[in-house]
Amino acid sequence: MTANRPFFITTPIYYVNDLPHLGHAYTTVACDVMARFMRLDGRRVRFLTGTDEHGQKVEQSARTADIPPQELTDRNSAGFREMTRLLGVSNDDFIRTTEPRHTRGVDVLWQELERRGEIYLGPFAGWYSVRDEAFYDESELVDGKAPTGAEVEWLEEENYFFRLSAWQDRLLAYYEENPDAIAPRSRRNEVISFVRGGLHDLSISRTSFSWGIPVPGNPKHVIYVWLDALANYITAVGYPDTESKEFSTFWPADLHMVGKDILRFHTVYWPAFLMAAGLAPPRRVFAHGWWTVEGQKMSKSLNNFIPPKQLVETYGLDPVRYFLLRELPFGSDGDFSHRAVVGRLNGDLANDLGNLAQRVLVMINRNCDACVPEPATLSTADEALLDAASGLLETVRVYISEQAFHLALEAIWRVVGEANRYVDEQAPWALSRSNPVRMRSVLYTLAETLRQLAILIQPFVPGSAERLLDQLAIPEAERGFAGLAQTALRPGTRLPKPEGIFPRFLEETRA
Ligand code: MSP
């Protein structure tokens, strides 16, 4: 695998019966960090997101709102598109499952599965949850409800079935041969034991409602919304034109990022559908955890879904992005609380990195004629800090390849901490009179460390990183990761007037 292989990353496509909230923002921001990181690392990236617009759940929501489903989907899909803008998300494409490029592709996928003998018509009787858009076995129910807590209804219909049971061994072989295909490891084990437990054929059509893609040749049926939705990952890169440059460049996807709730769809059904249609399964699916808000599950009854707009207006975009990826080990559940966000914002961002940058830039501005200082011979302490900074990319790259965002940030902030200790020890403010030559070496070392840090934090906090890079007068062309080792700050370069990068969050004092 070459480091320059193209990189295709996807978010789940979001149901349009809901408005965007913290949970959607989380998955999307995590993907954005991956996409930005890979671009900076020189890879050709395709980053896809979009909306899941068919199915009974959306049809029911439209009925409740007393509008046609297409109107509901148009309105709410626009809300998800707006979310990407609000969160500074760098997606290359936004797919909607009601678009012709998608419905045409799903139609062909169905016919291909049928042609290969993977589909048959039969009677279905079983439990269905509209909220989850999922079928459940009697044995899976807990107190008469789905394991997710959703209501289920008894369904008896004539349905088309996919021969999922025939794919058990090939799925297990795929997991075995691709140890990184499902992450984190605990999730991988969960999937393997589910598949080992035996698979039933899967109902893949419905007849009791009509908001969906009609089954080719039998329009009484609509295609099961998960088969329809999962296919977005291939229709967006040109399926059914599998010979196209686009498809062969980007498929199989490098990473489907999903929440833990939709793991089974992505790691059991999806690879089975793909293999059954003669296509390669994805390289990796990562299932992240769920957020509670101030200790409580987000729910309709509590009405505590935080809209992305509110997050950004309250805390600012970069602090939100930073918090989401720093606070939890990626893959675990956690709690979103005002206190925790403000703690990170004022601690890690404003105090640790913000103050460091401000102190260094102001000292350069005052004591070095606002130009990058010329270093003399570097001391062991200078070299140690510079080495710690320049060694970061390698460490961070490994963590990012494992989606360990929290560890990547922790490693970067360890160097922020070292730089702060170095400033205190070297006390450059005291050197300005006693030893200006030494002061220039110290400030150069700090500015070069800041340059390294600013380049590396771009995927996480792109706006703030850009402001810091502007203040260090780093040319656009030198902001990629290749620039980390190839170039360094050039002494004599004039720097603009320093401005704070991470303002502190001040609690409103209420009378
Ligand atoms: N439409 C399907 C996905 C189809 S992909 C082919 C779907 N949509 S969703 O809108 O319900 O959820 C999308 C994502 O939001 C999931 O990854 C889910 O885990 C995530 N989240 C929803 N609530 C969440 C939290 N409370 N916390 C973190 N993520 C959560 O499922």
Side-chain angles (χ1 to χ4, degrees):
M1 252 180 257
T2 75
N4 293 328
R5 197 165 51 70
F7 185 79
F8 180 29
I9 177 161
T10 67
T11 73
I13 49 171
Y14 302 111
Y15 284 130
V16 286
N17 63 305
D18 249 342
L19 298 177
H21 59 65
L22 170 66
H24 308 117
Y26 186 44
T27 323
T28 306
V29 166
C31 289
D32 188 53
V33 171
M34 289 299 304
R36 286 176 184 269
F37 187 94
M38 294 302 173
R39 286 191 203 105
L40 288 163
D41 215 10
R43 295 186 56 179
R44 181 163 160 219
V45 171
R46 176 64 62 91
F47 171 14
L48 172 70
T49 185
T51 42
D52 187 353
E53 307 191 351
H54 289 130
Q56 196 171 0
K57 174 151 82 169
V58 172
E59 190 181 271
Q60 277 182 3
S61 299
R63 195 170 314 126
T64 310
D66 203 19
I67 50 175
Q70 189 65 53
E71 198 178 318
L72 179 87
T73 61
D74 288 347
R75 187 194 296 167
N76 288 354
S77 176
F80 281 98
R81 208 183 277 266
E82 172 66 6
M83 173 178 81
T84 62
R85 201 190 57 78
L86 279 166
L87 296 171
V89 168
S90 64
N91 57 301
D92 303 291
D93 193 0
F94 187 103
I95 193 165
R96 302 183 53 185
T97 54
T98 49
E99 285 174 61
R101 64 166 165 163
H102 176 74
T103 55
R104 263 199 310 267
V106 172
D107 197 273
V108 175
L109 177 64
W110 180 283
Q111 292 182 55
E112 185 62 20
L113 291 170
E114 203 162 39
R115 194 179 67 76
R116 289 168 177 255
E118 299 287 348
I119 293 180
Y120 63 91
L121 193 60
F124 175 83
W127 296 102
Y128 192 76
S129 154
V130 176
R131 195 180 90 187
D132 299 346
E133 296 283 18
F135 299 94
Y136 290 107
D137 274 351
E138 180 78 37
S139 63
E140 287 179 289
L141 301 190
V142 183
D143 298 332
K145 290 192 173 174
T148 56
E151 299 289 337
V152 290
E153 59 190 29
W154 182 255
L155 210 68
E156 287 187 29
E157 289 182 358
E158 185 186 59
N159 281 176
Y160 285 94
F161 286 85
F162 170 70
R163 293 187 196 282
L164 183 64
S165 58
W167 287 88
Q168 180 173 350
D169 291 343
R170 280 169 287 185
L171 281 169
L172 289 170
Y174 155 66
Y175 307 142
E176 185 67 33
E177 286 155 21
N178 300 279
D180 297 326
I182 306 172
R185 189 146 289 264
S186 56
R187 299 287 171 204
R188 169 183 150 84
N189 297 339
E190 202 178 291
V191 171
I192 293 177
S193 78
F194 171 74
V195 173
R196 280 212 185 109
L199 296 172
H200 302 299
D201 289 350
L202 180 71
S203 165
I204 50 164
S205 77
R206 300 287 312 277
T207 52
S208 50
F209 65 94
S210 60
W211 182 239
I213 303 176
V215 165
N218 192 351
K220 245 183 29 219
H221 294 249
V222 294
I223 297 177
Y224 175 40
V225 66
W226 270 100
L227 173 54
D228 168 347
L230 287 161
N232 91 87
Y233 301 133
I234 53 175
T235 59
V237 288
Y239 184 84
D241 190 0
T242 52
E243 301 299 314
S244 69
K245 180 92 180 40
E246 216 194 355
F247 192 86
S248 50
T249 303
F250 291 110
W251 195 258
D254 292 271
L255 181 60
H256 293 316
M257 191 78 89
V258 301
K260 63 180 183 178
D261 53 316
I262 53 175
L263 181 66
R264 192 184 292 181
F265 300 98
H266 282 83
T267 55
V268 181
Y269 305 162
W270 181 226
F273 293 152
L274 285 165
M275 292 193 281
L279 300 169
R283 291 185 206 273
R284 183 168 169 93
V285 175
F286 191 105
H288 66 67
W290 270 45
W291 289 96
T292 49
V293 173
E294 306 291 347
Q296 288 183 298
K297 204 174 157 199
M298 284 193 267
S299 73
K300 289 236 157 66
S301 53
L302 292 171
N303 194 23
N304 58 348
F305 296 98
I306 316 180
K309 188 161 189 277
Q310 184 186 326
L311 286 174
V312 172
E313 281 173 359
T314 312
Y315 305 108
L317 173 55
D318 283 349
V320 168
R321 293 176 56 112
Y322 177 83
F323 176 80
L324 291 177
L325 295 175
R326 176 64 187 86
E327 188 67 2
L328 301 186
F330 200 66
S332 308
D333 295 338
D335 188 46
F336 187 97
S337 72
H338 175 72
R339 227 181 116 220
V341 182
V342 172
R344 289 275 176 210
L345 206 168
N346 286 344
D348 303 10
L349 297 182
N351 278 354
D352 299 347
L353 181 55
N355 271 353
L356 172 71
Q358 184 73 2
R359 281 162 102 187
V360 173
L361 292 167
V362 166
M363 278 188 277
I364 293 180
N365 190 266
R366 293 210 186 122
N367 302 315
C368 308
D369 293 331
C371 289
V372 174
E374 177 83 47
T377 315
L378 297 179
S379 73
T380 323
D382 305 341
E383 300 275 9
L385 181 60
L386 290 172
D387 286 350
S390 62
L392 268 176
L393 175 62
E394 213 176 313
T395 312
V396 169
R397 193 187 270 136
V398 172
Y399 287 141
I400 293 290
S401 73
E402 296 165 350
Q403 290 77 54
F405 302 107
H406 60 298
L407 296 181
L409 287 170
E410 209 173 273
I412 296 174
W413 256 257
R414 217 172 293 128
V415 175
V416 172
E418 283 178 41
N420 275 314
R421 270 191 301 281
Y422 170 93
V423 186
D424 292 341
E425 282 161 18
Q426 303 294 326
W429 50 87
L431 293 170
S432 74
R433 281 179 187 210
S434 63
N435 189 350
V437 173
R438 177 66 196 141
M439 176 199 70
R440 284 195 282 275
S441 296
V442 170
L443 290 179
Y444 176 85
T445 302
L446 284 163
E448 170 59 14
T449 304
L450 279 179
R451 180 185 78 94
Q452 299 264 344
L453 292 169
I455 289 178
L456 280 168
I457 61 173
Q458 289 177 97
F460 300 92
V461 287
S464 314
E466 187 183 356
R467 285 197 296 282
L468 185 49
L469 288 165
D470 287 347
Q471 295 191 44
L472 290 163
I474 306 301
E476 207 64 53
E478 293 177 15
R479 295 183 179 191
F481 293 158
L484 283 171
Q486 284 165 10
T487 50
L489 278 182
R490 279 182 275 282
T493 309
R494 177 157 291 280
L495 302 185
K497 193 169 175 312
E499 272 167 45
I501 307 157
F502 294 112
R504 286 183 71 79
F505 183 90
L506 301 172
E507 295 287 355
E508 265 176 60
T509 35
R510 293 190 184 91

